[in-house]
Amino acid sequence: MNDYETVIGLEVHAELSTKTKIFCSCPTSFGANPNTHTCPICMAMPGTLPVLNEKVVEYAVKAGLATNCEISKNSKNDRKNYFYPDLPKSYQISQFDKPLCEHGYVEIDTEEGKKKIRLLRIHIEEDAGKLNHDEFGGGSLVDLNRAGVPLIEIVSEPDLRSSQEVEQYLRKLKSILEYIEVSDCKMQEGSLRADVNVSVRKKGETKFGTRTEMKNMNSFRSIVRAIEYEANRQIDVLEEGGTIEQETLRWDEVSGKTFSMRDKEDAQDYRYFPDPDLVAIKLSDEYIENIKKGLPELPETRKKRYLEEYHLSEKDANIISSSKYLADLFEKASAICNNPKAVNNWIISDISRILNETEQEPIDIPFDSNQLGKLVLLIDKGTISSSIAKKVLAELFENPRDPEEIIKEKGWIQISDEGAIKEVVIKVLEENPQSISDYKAGKDKALGFLVGQAMKQTKGQANPQMLNKMFIEEMNK
Ligand code: ADP
Ligand code: ZN
Ligand code: MG
């Protein structure tokens, strides 16, 4: 087992967040009723003509520049011919020999340091429709809302050597695409999905082994599991003297196995030819230069800035800068409360935990930086305790509004009035004489217990520092 090496190359599809489709003016938004986002062009009526959406070219060039690609000034669209019920034209408009972007790379962190994963190309193409199986008495229904939604396909060289590297690479790519705002990258909605090509070879071997391909995978977890399963399966076959067939496989999440779907097509099977209905794509140096100038700060640069400007730890800077949404939230909220350390802690601990528990992504955070900044200010001013702040955060996730309004409405203002604090302290001491003797006998835990009791009686609203101080004063009297 150990004398084998796994080789992986990915074809990543990202749906572009243009308002309209690639060759018609239908909307691209997700979740509409079936076949409501359609017109004669994306339904492939005879005689209709496609017109290329200029934004698609701009977004693809942006993605190419952000991943260190060369941009082709002369590019074109080609027809890729195949039949499938979700593809009403019986061909997909894609790009064959002249993709918009070529020869880029994405850098990932590995145990041995930074590693460049080379990109063969990035090209533009249209998405197919969607088949809904099994919902209606065993039949399948076709929904063409997705037909003609613009995609970029990012093809990597077979430079990846483990499932961990693949996960790193995908996370990095996702993060870059989010930063340059060309795709929302929502994997559950299929906005970002990968075809995963896997082969194995003996260590030291220079030729690649035969690969298999698993299509349309859209969760990190499945991708990692599928690669590990498939690599082991191939090794077993080879060890038993068999050969690997080049084929397309289906990953089954429930059984944790791959199954054969069909033999792999070659480029020649698709009979590519230039689409005669579309003009060539010619880009000027000035056009490319302008897009380059407009590129925002990318994750790597932001991370550096967080280390230097805000003195975040390497780990925290990595987590926050990896998501544009978290990074923007962090910076804007910090500007409001002037306490980046506290904002950092909220994002890394409580906010991340809630996102995990509710299986949401940073883009789904319902409150804004203003509200988070104000929450931190309220703690810093002593208006609320940190335990109340946690309750306010939960409210912000439920029904986001001004934190000040929330605490007024709920009556959650911290009790910092000396008289009121003293009253609780005396009451708790009367109720717990044993704790007083324990404390006097040197058991520090007793103090914590008493403060906890006082917190309980005030529903978490008493100022904990004041409680601590006053318990000690009273018991030392
Ligand atoms: P196709 O579009 O027919 O699947 P491409 O050559 O465009 O073929 O893309 C193939 C993908 O498979 C690329 O990402 C490439 O890195 C990867 N790949 C090619 N050969 C191997 C191999 N032997 N093992 C693993 N991955 C491979
Ligand atoms: Zn349309
Ligand atoms: Mg492929």
Side-chain angles (χ1 to χ4, degrees):
M1 280 282 180
N2 277 334
D3 28 305
Y4 282 90
E5 170 177 64
T6 309
V7 174
I8 308 133
L10 294 190
E11 298 156 271
V12 173
H13 287 94
E15 276 183 1
L16 298 179
S17 41
T18 53
K19 287 203 184 66
T20 56
K21 292 187 180 179
I22 182 167
F23 300 119
C24 64
S25 49
C26 292
T28 55
S29 46
F30 180 83
N33 282 330
N35 297 307
T36 54
H37 291 174
T38 50
C39 73
I41 297 173
C42 53
M43 288 191 298
M45 296 297 173
T48 54
L49 287 173
V51 177
L52 179 59
N53 179 345
E54 201 188 324
K55 273 277 169 215
V56 172
V57 176
E58 183 189 322
Y59 282 15
V61 170
K62 245 176 146 177
L65 291 170
T67 52
N68 313 292
C69 287
E70 291 160 20
I71 308 301
S72 317
K73 288 197 280 180
N74 292 297
S75 181
K76 66 179 168 77
N77 289 111
D78 300 280
R79 290 187 182 180
K80 179 180 183 179
N81 298 280
Y82 66 97
F83 175 76
Y84 203 67
D86 63 7
L87 188 77
K89 292 198 295 282
S90 277
Y91 60 84
Q92 175 194 32
I93 305 180
S94 179
Q95 296 196 282
F96 183 45
D97 53 339
K98 288 185 170 182
L100 268 175
C101 322
E102 288 182 281
H103 312 307
Y105 66 87
V106 167
E107 218 167 42
I108 60 166
D109 293 310
T110 70
E111 277 166 16
E112 294 88 44
K114 297 228 178 279
K115 176 172 173 181
K116 276 182 184 164
I117 307 304
R118 291 169 302 154
L119 304 185
L120 192 62
R121 57 191 277 156
I122 301 179
H123 65 254
I124 55 173
E125 61 185 25
E126 59 182 336
D127 209 344
K130 197 169 174 19
L131 296 182
N132 294 307
H133 304 291
D134 308 327
E135 276 174 54
F136 307 91
S140 293
L141 297 182
V142 187
D143 176 7
L144 294 180
N145 282 349
R146 203 178 64 182
V149 167
L151 298 174
I152 46 175
E153 178 170 335
I154 305 165
V155 184
S156 85
E157 297 277 3
D159 283 350
L160 297 151
R161 292 291 175 272
S162 66
S163 57
Q164 296 91 306
E165 285 190 10
V166 169
E167 181 167 358
Q168 283 265 3
Y169 167 74
L170 273 175
R171 288 196 186 277
K172 193 58 172 286
L173 206 54
K174 179 170 185 277
S175 145
I176 293 172
L177 296 177
E178 284 176 2
Y179 266 73
I180 60 175
E181 297 182 314
V182 302
S183 171
D184 67 17
C185 293
K186 289 191 178 174
M187 294 179 85
Q188 338 71 282
E189 293 181 5
S191 299
L192 190 75
R193 46 190 204 261
D195 299 346
V196 182
N197 298 273
V198 180
S199 66
V200 297
R201 63 178 172 189
K202 277 261 168 69
K203 279 186 187 153
E205 175 65 69
T206 48
K207 269 183 29 211
F208 288 132
T210 305
R211 69 181 149 123
T212 56
E213 175 171 8
M214 296 171 279
K215 281 196 178 292
N216 278 323
M217 307 207 57
N218 65 345
S219 102
F220 289 115
R221 202 178 99 88
S222 320
I223 291 172
V224 167
R225 283 179 72 202
I227 291 171
E228 280 161 15
Y229 173 84
E230 180 55 18
N232 284 328
R233 185 192 71 83
Q234 292 184 12
I235 294 170
D236 287 346
V237 171
L238 295 176
E239 283 293 292
E240 282 162 21
T243 48
I244 306 298
E245 299 291 328
Q246 181 167 339
E247 59 183 346
T248 303
L249 302 174
R250 182 177 60 82
W251 165 253
D252 182 60
E253 188 65 44
V254 179
S255 63
K257 291 183 175 163
T258 54
F259 294 95
S260 183
M261 259 171 83
R262 58 168 191 258
D263 291 346
K264 173 78 185 122
E265 299 86 351
D266 272 325
Q268 65 200 26
D269 297 326
Y270 290 124
R271 297 158 12 254
Y272 280 100
F273 64 88
D275 193 306
D277 291 340
L278 288 158
V279 295
I281 307 168
K282 296 204 180 285
L283 306 180
S284 67
D285 288 322
E286 194 193 355
Y287 175 85
I288 298 168
E289 201 48 41
N290 269 336
I291 295 179
K292 200 175 207 165
K293 273 191 218 139
L295 278 184
E297 191 181 32
L298 294 173
E300 211 52 38
T301 328
R302 274 227 198 177
K303 183 189 152 188
K304 251 206 199 127
R305 201 156 56 71
Y306 289 176
L307 293 174
E308 287 159 14
E309 246 177 67
Y310 295 94
H311 308 290
L312 300 193
S313 72
E314 177 90 21
K315 186 165 160 263
D316 292 1
N318 256 335
I319 296 175
I320 293 183
S321 69
S322 72
S323 153
K324 180 178 190 297
Y325 306 99
L326 288 185
D328 285 347
L329 183 67
F330 168 70
E331 282 187 51
K332 290 185 190 153
S334 296
I336 284 164
C337 63
N338 214 354
N339 188 349
K341 193 109 223 127
V343 176
N344 171 48
N345 287 341
W346 280 102
I347 292 178
I348 296 293
S349 54
D350 294 77
I351 294 175
S352 295
R353 178 180 48 77
I354 293 173
L355 288 178
N356 265 338
E357 284 168 4
T358 53
E359 289 181 11
Q360 295 185 90
E361 304 212 32
I363 190 177
D364 302 315
I365 293 175
F367 54 86
D368 60 27
S369 51
N370 199 12
Q371 292 161 338
L372 178 61
K374 277 194 164 167
L375 175 65
V376 173
L377 269 181
L378 288 169
I379 308 165
D380 289 350
K381 283 195 291 193
T383 314
I384 54 174
S385 65
S386 51
S387 60
I388 296 224
K390 282 183 204 282
K391 295 207 278 185
V392 175
L393 184 74
E395 271 300 306
L396 284 177
F397 267 99
E398 281 293 306
N399 174 17
R401 53 206 196 278
D402 187 348
E404 214 155 352
E405 224 170 83
I406 296 176
I407 58 174
K408 267 196 202 126
E409 193 184 293
K410 304 262 175 193
W412 284 346
I413 294 179
Q414 176 162 269
I415 306 169
S416 296
D417 172 72
E418 282 218 17
I421 297 271
K422 188 158 187 174
E423 212 171 283
V424 190
V425 166
I426 302 284
K427 180 154 178 278
V428 169
L429 286 174
E430 276 171 10
E431 289 167 4
N432 298 283
Q434 183 59 42
S435 297
I436 305 179
S437 355
D438 287 351
Y439 176 75
K440 291 194 167 158
K443 289 186 191 159
D444 286 341
K445 264 206 221 144
L447 179 62
F449 172 78
L450 291 167
V451 172
Q453 289 302 304
M455 276 300 204
K456 221 186 223 167
Q457 296 207 1
T458 59
K459 299 199 178 74
Q461 280 170 254
N463 180 324
Q465 286 86 20
M466 289 179 74
L467 280 179
N468 247 305
K469 201 166 144 252
M470 197 148 327
F471 270 119
I472 295 173
E473 271 173 26
E474 287 300 317
M475 288 191 287
N476 286 339
K477 264 187 186 164

mmCIF file of all heavy atoms in Angstrom, residues 11 195 197 211 213 215 264, ligand 3:
data_model
loop_
_atom_site.group_PDB
_atom_site.id
_atom_site.type_symbol
_atom_site.label_atom_id
_atom_site.label_comp_id
_atom_site.label_asym_id
_atom_site.label_seq_id
_atom_site.Cartn_x
_atom_site.Cartn_y
_atom_site.Cartn_z
ATOM 1 N N GLU A 11 -11.366 19.115 -12.284
ATOM 2 C CA GLU A 11 -12.053 20.050 -13.162
ATOM 3 C C GLU A 11 -13.152 20.676 -12.299
ATOM 4 O O GLU A 11 -14.115 19.998 -11.946
ATOM 5 C CB GLU A 11 -12.657 19.309 -14.355
ATOM 6 C CG GLU A 11 -11.598 18.630 -15.217
ATOM 7 C CD GLU A 11 -12.176 17.464 -16.019
ATOM 8 O OE1 GLU A 11 -12.178 16.342 -15.495
ATOM 9 O OE2 GLU A 11 -12.621 17.700 -17.140
ATOM 10 N N ASP A 195 -15.248 17.758 -10.829
ATOM 11 C CA ASP A 195 -15.034 16.421 -11.370
ATOM 12 C C ASP A 195 -13.660 16.003 -10.873
ATOM 13 O O ASP A 195 -12.683 16.726 -11.074
ATOM 14 C CB ASP A 195 -15.040 16.424 -12.906
ATOM 15 C CG ASP A 195 -16.374 16.914 -13.474
ATOM 16 O OD1 ASP A 195 -17.351 16.982 -12.703
ATOM 17 O OD2 ASP A 195 -16.422 17.219 -14.682
ATOM 18 N N ASN A 197 -10.537 13.486 -10.840
ATOM 19 C CA ASN A 197 -9.823 12.446 -11.591
ATOM 20 C C ASN A 197 -8.750 11.834 -10.704
ATOM 21 O O ASN A 197 -7.917 12.551 -10.152
ATOM 22 C CB ASN A 197 -9.152 13.054 -12.825
ATOM 23 C CG ASN A 197 -10.169 13.644 -13.780
ATOM 24 O OD1 ASN A 197 -10.701 12.948 -14.638
ATOM 25 N ND2 ASN A 197 -10.467 14.931 -13.608
ATOM 26 N N ARG A 211 -6.573 6.856 -15.194
ATOM 27 C CA ARG A 211 -7.412 7.550 -14.215
ATOM 28 C C ARG A 211 -8.874 7.169 -14.351
ATOM 29 O O ARG A 211 -9.347 6.773 -15.420
ATOM 30 C CB ARG A 211 -7.291 9.054 -14.417
ATOM 31 C CG ARG A 211 -7.930 9.496 -15.714
ATOM 32 C CD ARG A 211 -7.805 10.988 -15.937
ATOM 33 N NE ARG A 211 -7.727 11.276 -17.346
ATOM 34 C CZ ARG A 211 -8.580 12.082 -17.983
ATOM 35 N NH1 ARG A 211 -9.550 12.675 -17.323
ATOM 36 N NH2 ARG A 211 -8.457 12.303 -19.261
ATOM 37 N N GLU A 213 -12.807 8.908 -13.209
ATOM 38 C CA GLU A 213 -13.334 10.250 -12.947
ATOM 39 C C GLU A 213 -14.666 10.171 -12.212
ATOM 40 O O GLU A 213 -15.537 9.396 -12.586
ATOM 41 C CB GLU A 213 -13.515 10.975 -14.289
ATOM 42 C CG GLU A 213 -14.169 12.332 -14.164
ATOM 43 C CD GLU A 213 -14.136 13.127 -15.473
ATOM 44 O OE1 GLU A 213 -13.746 12.553 -16.504
ATOM 45 O OE2 GLU A 213 -14.508 14.303 -15.433
ATOM 46 N N LYS A 215 -17.805 12.521 -11.222
ATOM 47 C CA LYS A 215 -18.320 13.813 -11.683
ATOM 48 C C LYS A 215 -19.186 14.512 -10.649
ATOM 49 O O LYS A 215 -19.807 13.875 -9.804
ATOM 50 C CB LYS A 215 -19.143 13.602 -12.962
ATOM 51 C CG LYS A 215 -18.278 13.450 -14.202
ATOM 52 C CD LYS A 215 -19.131 13.647 -15.452
ATOM 53 C CE LYS A 215 -18.309 13.553 -16.722
ATOM 54 N NZ LYS A 215 -17.361 14.651 -16.904
ATOM 55 N N LYS A 264 -15.354 6.182 -20.450
ATOM 56 C CA LYS A 264 -14.961 7.582 -20.586
ATOM 57 C C LYS A 264 -14.928 7.975 -22.065
ATOM 58 O O LYS A 264 -14.395 7.272 -22.901
ATOM 59 C CB LYS A 264 -13.579 7.732 -19.960
ATOM 60 C CG LYS A 264 -12.931 9.063 -20.139
ATOM 61 C CD LYS A 264 -13.515 10.080 -19.178
ATOM 62 C CE LYS A 264 -12.918 11.450 -19.468
ATOM 63 N NZ LYS A 264 -13.907 12.445 -19.774
HETATM 64 MG MG MG B 3 -13.330 15.432 -17.255
#
